[in-house]
Amino acid sequence: MSDRRRILVPPTARPLTFAPAPTESSQDSSSSSKTEIYLRTSLFPDASGSAYLEHQKHKILVLVNGPRPQRMSFSSTAKLLVDVKFLPVSSDAHVLGIQQGGGFDTDLEKSLADYIYASLVPAIRLERYPKSGISVSVVVVSGPPRWKGLVKQVTAACVTTAGAALVDAGIEVLDVVTACAVKVSKEGAVSLDLDETSEDSESVDTVARGVISSMASRDEITGVWVDDDTTSESASSRSIEGEALVAVLKAANSGAVEIRKLVNAVLARSLDELLVEKKGKKKITKRSAESMDS
Amino acid sequence: MPLSLSEESYLASSLSLRPPCRPDGRDQHQFRPLDASAGILPATNGSARIRLCDGGECIVGIKAEVVESRKEDVALVEVQCDIAGVQSNSPLHTFLCTTLETALRNTLPASRLSIIHRYTYKLFIDGIILDHVSHPLTLFSMTVYLALLDTRLPKLIPSADVASTTTSTSSSDQPIGLPQFESDWQESVPLCDKAWSPPLVQLAVLAGKNVFVDPTGEEAGVGDGAIVVSWHQGKVVGLRTVNTRDSSKQVFSASRDVTEALTRVVS
């Protein structure tokens, strides 16, 4: 008879221990601290898959649950659900939400979720999971101190983390989705938007910002979001058409390919860890079986 | 009524033909006929109504309010909409409102709404979509566009500001610096002129290598994906991919598909 009076802890719960100081292995290949990206997968044993990314001041956690059976209605493919949450402590995001007339779910959260959904859906083989649901929850633990102009950067980070978390959950995907943000300067030069901080984003040099999600090894783009990001004073904005758009897409795609290398390395390492862990477990079970015999 | 699997595949394959074949015989870049009227609500600063031939109808009213511009980044435009038959706070609401709001905020210079040093107008754009069969974004955006063109703001009496600062006699009955307006509505000034026109946001559906503007509900349902294009004074100022259905195969193998979408002309 199980104990029904108390809410039991999850079976895999462990006592709280503090991790040792980060070793060198946790810092991945990068030159300057501004462009440094830290990514880790399988942090939460309770979720089917999880990933955590740190880039500048953004700290993003993605939990993937599923595929879980859905009893309500029949569907021949899986349903993907994406929700984004900013923690109240994650910078001035709440201020932004209030300004846009949002309540608890801010409009920014919803439009981020919309874009992440649109970027992930083409990559997932939803037809392999009929009658089930896959939920992706993105938690922005910490964002930039000022959001103005940095939304695209955070979006890119969210998509990349979610892509890694989906793989960690063992969900069948066509390819890992990674994303990269770009900015277009007044002269029309396109550069990767990796190193910009809230202080830099105030400059009037940038006229447009965008983020591209792509499946690098298939060379396919799954999502585009380009906006004219000028402060409203300089209304003489550039058009993002034709050649300019192609330049933006190419630059962002090459950025996404670079980020893909990092994601690949992280995923490969987590796979190694998983294999080692499994071997260890087998040994333990063998040993316990032996001890039982004796 | 949802399409059956065979109907769906028939429509999908006829849309991805080159040249494509739309069920209503339209050209790829052709809009459906619509019925538009402006200035229908006398109690607003600007209003418009657009009816589509499929029964979609949208009414938009714009009210301008005088607010103190204390902070720099105070939002000067607020868009809200009500869709008949859809719960308020649904994703569709958020999508419509935020898309329009960002497009307007990015293109509308703050100087256009400022009155005198401390005061500025704030625009409240309220729409109601009475019926929609196809995706309401294009309809809503066109109605907002028309309503903004119709918007008139009362004329400022210039002397009020100057008089209160130079002579103190007029300040006994009026607080200093409060803007005074002409009471005659005939004197009002339009918000939009040759220097600035409002942005338009359009939904385009992709099917194979083809791009369709003003998609019907069925076309959006079978398309591989959709892009939202913001368009302002002859330029594309925003571009974003969205999903109009769940299991999308939407990918762009080359940038060609997207650039193709931009070559079309908004009627």
Side-chain angles (χ1 to χ4, degrees):
Chain A
M1 196 69 183
S2 62
D3 188 353
R4 291 188 186 181
R5 293 197 180 179
R6 275 161 282 266
I7 298 168
L8 295 176
V9 293
T12 50
R14 287 171 302 169
L16 179 70
T17 49
F18 291 101
T23 51
E24 275 174 34
S25 63
S26 65
Q27 258 116 47
D28 275 294
S29 58
S30 53
S31 46
S32 72
S33 64
K34 266 186 173 178
T35 55
E36 208 163 71
I37 297 176
Y38 172 69
L39 181 69
R40 234 193 107 158
T41 55
S42 348
L43 291 134
F44 286 79
D46 291 337
S48 315
S50 57
Y52 174 75
L53 180 138
E54 264 182 46
H55 173 215
Q56 286 187 47
K57 282 178 182 155
H58 325 326
K59 295 185 172 68
I60 288 148
L61 176 69
V62 176
L63 303 173
V64 175
N65 271 301
R68 285 191 293 208
Q70 266 191 334
R71 294 206 188 122
M72 294 305 285
S73 59
F74 175 79
S75 70
S76 56
T77 62
K79 286 252 185 294
L80 180 69
L81 266 176
V82 179
D83 66 293
V84 178
K85 268 259 148 313
F86 297 128
L87 290 194
V89 292
S90 65
S91 77
D92 72 339
H94 59 291
V95 180
L96 214 72
I98 290 161
Q99 267 189 15
Q100 294 181 343
F104 204 68
D105 283 333
T106 63
D107 289 351
L108 181 63
E109 284 174 350
K110 282 184 184 163
S111 53
L112 264 184
D114 225 31
Y115 179 76
I116 296 169
Y117 176 89
S119 316
L120 292 181
V121 149
I124 305 172
R125 299 190 64 185
L126 291 172
E127 68 278 3
R128 297 296 298 249
Y129 307 103
K131 298 188 279 182
S132 47
I134 300 167
S135 82
V136 175
S137 20
V138 180
V139 184
V140 179
V141 181
S142 152
R146 282 177 59 90
W147 276 77
K148 208 172 167 225
L150 291 175
V151 174
K152 299 282 150 53
Q153 222 180 62
V154 177
T155 313
C158 287
V159 172
T160 307
T161 323
L166 277 176
V167 177
D168 186 49
I171 287 164
E172 274 195 46
V173 287
L174 292 171
D175 194 7
V176 186
V177 180
T178 51
C180 187
V182 284
K183 53 188 177 183
V184 183
S185 76
K186 244 179 211 164
E187 293 79 39
V190 184
S191 54
L192 295 187
D193 187 4
L194 275 174
D195 52 348
E196 202 160 44
T197 54
S198 345
E199 292 87 58
D200 305 338
S201 71
E202 291 295 308
S203 74
V204 287
D205 248 20
T206 310
V207 292
R209 283 168 212 278
V211 53
I212 307 286
S213 320
S214 82
M215 300 195 274
S217 64
R218 291 167 69 91
D219 197 22
E220 283 173 334
I221 291 171
T222 62
V224 182
W225 183 6
V226 188
D227 260 330
D228 202 308
D229 212 27
T230 36
T231 42
S232 31
E233 296 306 325
S234 54
S236 58
S237 48
R238 290 171 51 82
S239 174
I240 31 175
E241 250 176 287
E243 289 300 306
L245 183 70
V246 173
V248 167
L249 289 179
K250 277 193 177 147
N253 205 17
S254 64
V257 170
E258 287 302 309
I259 292 173
R260 175 64 192 278
K261 286 177 189 161
L262 168 75
V263 175
N264 275 354
V266 171
L267 288 176
R269 185 190 296 160
S270 74
L271 189 68
D272 286 346
E273 278 171 16
L274 200 72
L275 290 176
V276 169
E277 207 173 275
K278 267 194 181 161
K279 267 186 195 165
K281 261 189 192 164
K282 260 186 199 165
K283 268 182 197 163
I284 291 166
T285 45
K286 249 188 193 172
R287 218 174 275 159
S288 61
E290 278 165 13
S291 61
M292 286 278 279
D293 286 343
S294 64
Chain B
M1 205 179 77
L3 297 177
S4 69
L5 278 176
S6 47
E7 283 170 322
E8 219 172 79
S9 85
Y10 174 77
L11 185 56
S13 53
S14 65
L15 286 182
S16 45
L17 285 175
R18 303 212 83 162
C21 177
R22 289 177 96 162
D24 46 10
R26 267 188 296 156
D27 188 47
Q28 241 177 304
H29 302 155
Q30 195 181 355
F31 280 78
R32 288 171 289 180
L34 51 85
D35 169 40
S37 49
I40 54 158
L41 304 173
T44 57
N45 289 70
S47 58
R49 180 183 69 172
I50 288 186
R51 286 185 292 186
L52 291 179
C53 62
D54 67 353
E57 181 170 2
C58 179
I59 299 176
V60 166
I62 297 176
K63 286 280 238 180
E65 204 178 276
V66 178
V67 291
E68 270 188 71
S69 56
R70 256 173 273 130
K71 267 192 282 174
E72 271 291 301
D73 48 349
V74 73
L76 292 177
V77 184
E78 209 169 281
V79 181
Q80 292 211 317
C81 74
D82 206 0
I83 308 173
V86 182
Q87 265 186 354
S88 64
N89 81 358
S90 73
L92 188 61
H93 274 93
T94 335
F95 176 63
L96 287 188
C97 297
T98 47
T99 318
L100 261 274
E101 227 169 58
T102 33
L104 275 168
R105 277 192 199 149
N106 286 349
T107 53
L108 183 65
S111 58
R112 200 151 266 278
L113 289 175
S114 69
I115 307 168
I116 42 176
H117 54 277
R118 267 173 55 218
Y119 295 95
T120 173
Y121 284 116
K122 181 171 180 177
L123 294 182
F124 291 89
I125 302 176
D126 293 291
I128 175 163
I129 293 160
L130 295 171
D131 199 4
H132 71 280
V133 183
S134 44
H135 198 283
L137 178 72
T138 312
L139 173 66
F140 187 52
S141 163
M142 284 197 291
T143 321
V144 170
Y145 177 82
L146 194 59
L148 278 169
L149 283 182
D150 182 52
T151 301
R152 299 179 77 83
L153 301 170
K155 194 184 176 193
L156 185 75
I157 302 176
S159 58
D161 184 32
V162 182
S164 59
T165 47
T166 50
T167 59
S168 56
T169 46
S170 62
S171 63
S172 53
D173 50 331
Q174 297 291 341
I176 296 170
L178 210 65
Q180 305 284 303
F181 297 103
E182 196 83 57
S183 57
D184 191 358
W185 192 244
Q186 297 296 321
E187 296 281 305
S188 58
V189 278
L191 172 72
C192 309
D193 49 29
K194 273 184 187 162
W196 185 80
S197 66
L200 255 178
V201 184
Q202 299 282 338
L203 186 84
V205 159
L206 306 166
K209 291 259 175 217
N210 296 321
V211 182
F212 301 95
V213 299
D214 193 18
T216 61
E218 287 84 23
E219 282 170 347
V222 301
D224 294 339
I227 30 181
V228 170
V229 185
S230 321
W231 193 78
H232 176 236
Q233 292 178 338
K235 291 180 211 155
V236 176
V237 292
L239 192 70
R240 184 176 168 179
T241 52
V242 289
N243 280 73
T244 46
R245 60 174 188 158
D246 252 5
S247 53
S248 171
K249 306 177 289 265
Q250 163 199 11
V251 282
F252 311 104
S253 44
S255 52
R256 210 164 60 113
D257 303 1
V258 191
T259 35
E260 220 168 276
L262 308 175
T263 53
R264 95 265 183 284
V265 188
V266 180
S267 70

